Amino acid sequence: MSLRSRITGTGMCVPDRVVTNADLVEMMDTTDEWIQQRTGIRERRWVEDGQKPSDLAFGATRAALENADLEISDIDCILLSTLSGEHDFPGTSFFLHEKIDAGDIPCIDLRAQCSGFLFGLQMADALVVSGRHRRVLVLGCEVHSTGLDKTTAGRDVSVIFGDGAGAVILEGTDAADGPGLLEVRVHSEGKHARRLWTEAPSSAAPVRLTHEMIDDRRIYPFMDGRFVFKHAVTRMPEVLLETLNAASVKLDEVDLFLFHQANLRINEFVAQKLEIPESKLVNNIQRLGNCSAAALPILLDEAAREGRLEAGQLVSLTAFGSGFTWGSAILRWG
Ligand code: UT7
């Protein structure tokens, strides 16, 4: 009997601390007007001192388990996507594993940046459909705020990012024509890796972390913003259509489109290009900023809890990010 994987629970967790554009004006030479005009962002959440990535992942996991009416003992495997690991090693998933008391089930971190959740979803789908694991917990989790250059030198990057975690539980169903994941497609293009990256600490250097790296600000993310923007608005429509085509779904059959929350202007551009009506879009970047790998599972959880998703509806998720990486998924909700 062939299995299909299906999302049976969603959850999210963001810090309580709200950082408005006005708060950023106190730290660097920027304006609320610039940030809103260029990105759509009004505020984001940043962790309090001492709040860790695994704390956010823990909150999202608990919410997803509760939503699915499951216990941690019902989960067989954890895949956690992040670009802002709690420590150099081991991965954040291990600190989550400890917090949720996950026994000896396998966990692993995936590093595919803003598209990380879709890479995780594709791998979880393969694990479930092959029968290797019955239920997989898939997370995106980021604490950006502790790694940003909050001076004017870093303003093009630091005003965008927020902290948060989102989680879904993927499990097998034998109802071949029922709700579930219809298709996930992901891509990478490493030749653009340095267009959006954090160079240091680096194992490619004779010493991983030096005072010079810190003084040169190579420990902070660098982004060639316009280059990234251009690629995002090309690759996102491309992979979205590729995925729908592979699943034999027409664009106008999709009920809801969830796009990565990097910049509201990117999403408006993509929607316009594909002639997607505004009524079929949801965004939360205005409130949460760009939470990289956590953005899509958070958006999915919010859409589900706010009643934007009805059983049987077709939902498309699409992302683009550092690497470069990009991907799209289409699923039937329920
Ligand atoms: O999530 C992963 C994928 N990431 C993305 O998809 C992000 C893609 N890129 C973008 O969204 C945009 O490129 C940004 C929002 C990051 C930047 O917008 P931009 O229109 O590309 O701005 P820019 O970097 O070209 O800078 C334009 C001007 C510059 O001033 P001059 O040289 O024209 O005088 C910057 O110094 O805006 C200035 N600027 C700022 N001014 C006020 C840059 N950042 C700020 C700021 N506040 N925060």
Side-chain angles (χ1 to χ4, degrees):
M1 185 193 320
S2 69
L3 281 175
R4 169 186 280 188
S5 65
R6 173 176 163 238
I7 292 176
T8 54
T10 63
M12 64 174 274
C13 178
V14 293
D16 291 336
R17 180 180 161 211
V18 176
V19 177
T20 64
N21 291 346
D23 294 327
L24 295 183
V25 171
E26 306 284 310
M27 303 174 205
M28 62 189 82
D29 181 12
T30 189
T31 61
D32 174 48
E33 193 193 2
W34 192 97
I35 300 171
Q36 288 214 43
Q37 252 179 27
R38 305 273 177 146
T39 71
I41 301 169
R42 291 195 304 268
E43 60 190 43
R44 71 286 293 142
R45 303 297 182 96
W46 283 1
V47 289
E48 306 280 358
D49 281 355
Q51 197 172 19
K52 299 171 184 154
S54 58
D55 295 329
L56 301 182
F58 178 67
T61 298
R62 279 190 31 175
L65 287 172
E66 199 174 300
N67 185 235
D69 201 13
L70 293 171
E71 308 284 336
I72 188 60
S73 53
D74 297 315
I75 302 296
D76 307 318
C77 176
I78 303 172
L79 302 181
L80 185 149
S81 294
T82 186
L83 68 80
S84 51
E86 188 153 317
H87 294 282
D88 222 15
F89 75 88
T92 302
S93 59
F94 295 86
F95 299 97
L96 168 68
H97 195 284
E98 178 189 30
K99 282 200 170 89
I100 56 175
D101 204 3
D104 66 355
I105 65 167
C107 65
I108 189 170
D109 280 31
L110 303 173
R111 296 183 60 184
Q113 299 68 246
C114 294
S115 314
F117 177 71
L118 294 174
F119 278 74
L121 202 62
Q122 192 192 57
M123 288 174 194
D125 178 51
L127 292 169
V128 166
V129 166
S130 68
R132 169 72 65 183
H133 291 299
R134 201 162 40 110
R135 285 195 197 95
V136 181
L137 174 65
V138 188
L139 298 114
C141 172
E142 307 287 1
V143 171
H144 286 301
S145 59
T146 51
L148 298 173
D149 180 354
K150 295 173 190 133
T151 70
T152 300
R155 65 181 179 174
D156 58 324
V157 174
S158 52
V159 299
I160 299 175
F161 288 105
D163 302 338
V168 305
I169 292 161
L170 205 69
E171 81 178 73
T173 161
D174 50 22
D177 54 354
L181 205 52
L182 305 183
E183 186 65 60
V184 193
R185 294 287 172 110
V186 289
H187 298 278
S188 308
E189 203 172 18
K191 70 181 179 192
H192 300 310
R194 291 169 199 81
R195 299 285 189 157
L196 174 48
W197 72 328
T198 302
E199 186 185 346
S202 167
S203 304
V207 176
R208 250 184 222 173
L209 180 61
T210 62
H211 290 289
E212 199 190 347
M213 286 171 178
I214 298 172
D215 295 343
D216 294 348
R217 298 183 173 277
R218 280 183 280 151
I219 58 162
Y220 295 122
F222 162 82
M223 172 161 64
D224 184 344
R226 294 200 171 181
F227 189 85
V228 176
F229 193 106
K230 277 187 206 150
H231 279 253
V233 297
T234 307
R235 293 305 197 183
M236 287 173 69
E238 197 178 277
V239 72
L240 191 157
L241 293 178
E242 173 198 335
T243 307
L244 294 188
N245 193 34
S248 302
V249 172
K250 294 195 185 74
L251 189 71
D252 60 7
E253 289 173 341
V254 177
D255 296 290
L256 201 66
F257 292 88
L258 308 184
F259 293 154
H260 173 48
Q261 303 289 295
N263 183 334
L264 195 60
R265 308 293 161 241
I266 291 178
N267 294 356
E268 289 167 351
F269 207 98
V270 173
Q272 205 176 21
K273 207 166 174 177
L274 294 174
E275 298 180 17
I276 296 169
E278 222 181 299
S279 59
K280 287 190 173 187
L281 290 169
V282 283
N283 287 294
N284 60 13
I285 189 171
Q286 302 92 328
R287 286 179 287 111
L288 297 180
N290 178 353
C291 298
S292 294
L296 277 180
I298 288 177
L299 196 61
L300 184 66
D301 182 62
E302 281 193 350
R305 282 171 206 268
E306 286 165 9
R308 289 294 306 266
L309 293 172
E310 283 169 31
Q313 284 191 331
L314 286 167
V315 187
S316 162
L317 300 89
T318 304
F320 179 88
S322 154
F324 287 161
T325 53
W326 62 102
S328 190
I330 177 77
L331 57 93
R332 192 173 290 285
W333 189 251

